[in-house]
């Protein structure tokens, strides 16, 4: 059957997964905003896109950078008040894009690749909540279905992101990814 050049989607999953890349921080311990570290932005965007995200939103603050092609860059106006403001801005943009869920990721875990994102996304289907674990340590990405967003937004403030909401629940899929990555935040150069 001829489809007249219409490209059929690769995935059978009709959901819109929007990656929200949290990259607004000033990186004080690091010595510069981590979004400026060579290669990290492309690695994180690639992990989200190749891991199953339909769209990627880049949340900026301390530094302005050109968004990679196909990425929506926004600035969290109150970014200096902490991570929660970046999450707030990112979810608002994911909402505007019609997301079914948000895949929250951070700029400073450069060893996290698409295989980690895909695994966590795959496990989020039932409860709509999943987060990567590396051994016994929770990390990113974190998948949050749209139905949970109002409660997440009601509970976040300052530097407390979605973690506080997730810790209070019993239906979060904790997805061990330690065979794929170390998942540590890199806080200092070298």
């Amino acid at each position: 059957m001829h489809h007249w050049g219409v490209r059929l989607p690769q995935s059978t999953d009709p959901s819109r997964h929007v990656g929200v890349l949290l990259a607004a921080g000033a990186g004080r311990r690091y010595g510069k905003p981590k979004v400026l570290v060579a290669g990290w932005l492309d690695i994180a965007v690639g992990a989200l896109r190749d891991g199953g995200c339909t769209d990627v939103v880049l949340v900026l603050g301390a530094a302005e950078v050109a968004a990679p092609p196909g990425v929506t860059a926004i600035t969290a106006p109150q970014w200096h008040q902490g991570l929660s403001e970046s999450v707030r801005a990112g979810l608002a943009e994911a909402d505007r894009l019609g997301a079914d869920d948000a895949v929250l990721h951070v700029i400073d875990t450069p060893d996290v690749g698409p295989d980690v994102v895909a695994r966590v996304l795959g496990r989020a289907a039932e409860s709509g909540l999943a987060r990567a674990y590396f051994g016994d340590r929770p990390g990113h990405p974190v998948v949050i279905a749209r139905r949970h967003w109002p409660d997440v937004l009601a509970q976040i403030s300052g530097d407390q992101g979605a973690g506080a909401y997730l810790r209070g629940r019993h239906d979060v899929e904790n997805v061990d990814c330690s065979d794929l990555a170390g998942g540590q935040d890199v806080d200092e150069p070298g």
Side-chain angles (χ1 to χ4, degrees):
M1 215 167 103
H2 190 59
H3 286 290
W4 303 107
V6 175
R7 260 185 77 232
L8 297 173
Q10 303 281 298
S11 166
T12 55
D13 178 359
S15 301
R16 281 187 82 78
H17 309 296
V18 173
V20 175
L21 183 55
L22 305 169
R28 278 181 293 278
R29 280 174 299 182
Y30 197 87
K32 67 177 176 184
K34 294 174 185 177
V35 72
L36 300 176
V37 177
W40 283 9
L41 178 57
D42 290 336
I43 290 168
V45 167
L48 289 167
R49 187 174 277 149
D50 298 340
C53 294
T54 323
D55 301 282
V56 177
V57 174
L58 171 62
V59 184
L60 296 169
E64 290 297 314
V65 298
V71 172
T72 304
I74 62 168
T75 299
Q78 306 294 318
W79 67 267
H80 50 274
Q81 291 180 14
L83 181 66
S84 62
E85 293 303 317
S86 295
V87 173
R88 206 175 292 287
L91 288 181
E93 187 63 23
D95 180 50
R96 206 184 62 72
L97 291 170
D100 293 302
D101 52 47
V103 183
L104 303 182
H105 192 35
V106 289
I107 193 81
D108 59 356
T109 55
D111 75 332
V112 170
D115 46 357
V116 173
V117 175
R119 182 182 289 178
V120 177
L121 252 177
R123 292 277 299 281
E126 211 153 301
S127 69
L129 294 169
R131 96 174 296 169
Y133 262 74
F134 300 93
D136 56 0
R137 200 172 38 78
H140 288 85
V142 175
V143 179
I144 303 174
R146 174 184 282 274
R147 67 182 177 274
H148 295 285
W149 295 358
D151 291 336
V152 169
L153 291 168
Q155 286 190 36
I156 60 177
S157 65
D159 257 333
Q160 286 295 306
Y165 174 75
L166 297 176
R167 276 191 295 277
R169 300 188 61 96
H170 303 290
D171 56 349
V172 180
E173 287 282 344
N174 295 329
V175 184
D176 185 35
C177 298
S178 54
D179 59 318
L180 302 175
Q184 283 88 357
D185 301 353
V186 180
D187 282 330
E188 282 158 21

